[in-house]
Amino acid sequence: SVTRLGGDEFTILLTHIKDRKAVADIAARIQKSIEQPFNLYNHKVYVTSSIGIAIFPGDGNDSDLILKHADTAMYHAKAMGKNNYQFYSEKMGINAANKLNLEGKLHQAIEKNELCLYYQPQIDTKTNKIIAAEALIRWHQSELGMIQPNDFIPLAEETGQIFKIGEWVIHEACRQNKEWQDMGF
């Protein structure tokens, strides 16, 4: 049976399945069918799908948990690229929970003064003098310690927090630059 959850999300309930390969074959057939172009007001339209798969009882023992895990797998499929399907794994659930936790902490990073800039000098090789500095952001989270930029910058971009962080970086770099100028540098 097929049910529309809302927007562009649907659930498909399969019964009497033999194994994961059978489910994968069905997902691939659904994707192949969906990706066929169709005409809409004399325009050829192409659609792709991201499919998350959760299997009862291994991925959950009630409908709410199965839907939640299928949703997690679907978001993982979206992150892997267009027209993809993914089976739920416990690791996905852990990763999703960790990401949500990190996102919450990132919202507080500026207020808690956890972000800092490190400056990497740019040196003129002819004069051997510093001509500029590159500002590199770092996050020292009070509970988790130092978090690498490649672990929080994509999250900041994805959640829209990058704009607030970007403003902070520009303000802090200008403040530091002015302080250095006042010191005669």
Side-chain angles (χ1 to χ4, degrees):
S1 67
V2 177
T3 305
R4 180 173 176 254
L5 285 179
D8 63 352
E9 292 190 8
F10 298 83
T11 62
I12 298 174
L13 175 64
L14 302 175
T15 58
H16 308 295
I17 56 173
K18 296 176 186 173
D19 53 30
R20 289 170 65 96
K21 184 182 179 329
V23 176
D25 290 343
I26 292 168
R29 286 193 349 241
I30 290 169
Q31 287 181 316
K32 189 171 182 74
S33 176
I34 288 173
E35 71 185 11
Q36 297 303 310
F38 60 93
N39 285 317
L40 182 65
Y41 301 110
N42 296 322
H43 295 283
K44 197 171 266 194
V45 177
Y46 296 86
V47 177
T48 60
S49 61
S50 298
I51 300 174
I53 302 168
I55 299 176
F56 175 84
D59 295 329
N61 56 6
D62 63 56
S63 60
D64 288 338
L65 194 54
I66 289 291
L67 282 173
K68 178 183 173 190
H69 289 169
D71 197 49
T72 298
M74 187 257 313
Y75 280 106
H76 189 72
K78 283 184 177 187
M80 300 293 287
K82 291 184 177 186
N83 226 26
N84 193 338
Y85 66 86
Q86 293 290 312
F87 284 87
Y88 174 79
S89 73
E90 195 171 309
K91 185 178 178 185
M92 284 179 193
I94 292 168
N95 289 344
N98 288 342
K99 184 177 176 182
L100 192 59
N101 181 40
L102 195 62
E103 181 183 340
K105 292 181 184 319
L106 187 57
H107 274 287
Q108 302 171 350
I110 293 174
E111 289 78 22
K112 288 184 160 187
N113 201 29
E114 294 178 338
L115 298 177
C116 63
L117 292 180
Y118 287 75
Y119 298 93
Q120 180 171 301
Q122 308 261 320
I123 300 173
D124 182 332
T125 56
K126 292 179 184 169
T127 64
N128 213 23
K129 291 189 177 192
I130 296 174
I131 56 170
E134 179 181 11
L136 306 170
I137 191 168
R138 298 294 182 258
W139 179 20
H140 189 272
Q141 206 286 320
S142 57
E143 296 170 26
L144 303 174
M146 191 64 78
I147 299 173
Q148 296 299 314
N150 60 335
D151 290 332
F152 74 88
I153 296 294
L155 181 61
E157 290 171 340
E158 181 183 320
T159 61
Q161 294 182 66
I162 196 69
F163 300 109
K164 184 177 174 186
I165 291 171
E167 285 178 12
W168 178 87
V169 167
I170 290 170
H171 181 269
E172 180 60 20
C174 289
R175 184 204 61 75
Q176 181 64 65
N177 184 34
K178 175 70 170 117
E179 184 178 311
W180 284 334
Q181 287 178 15
D182 291 346
M183 294 170 65
F185 296 112

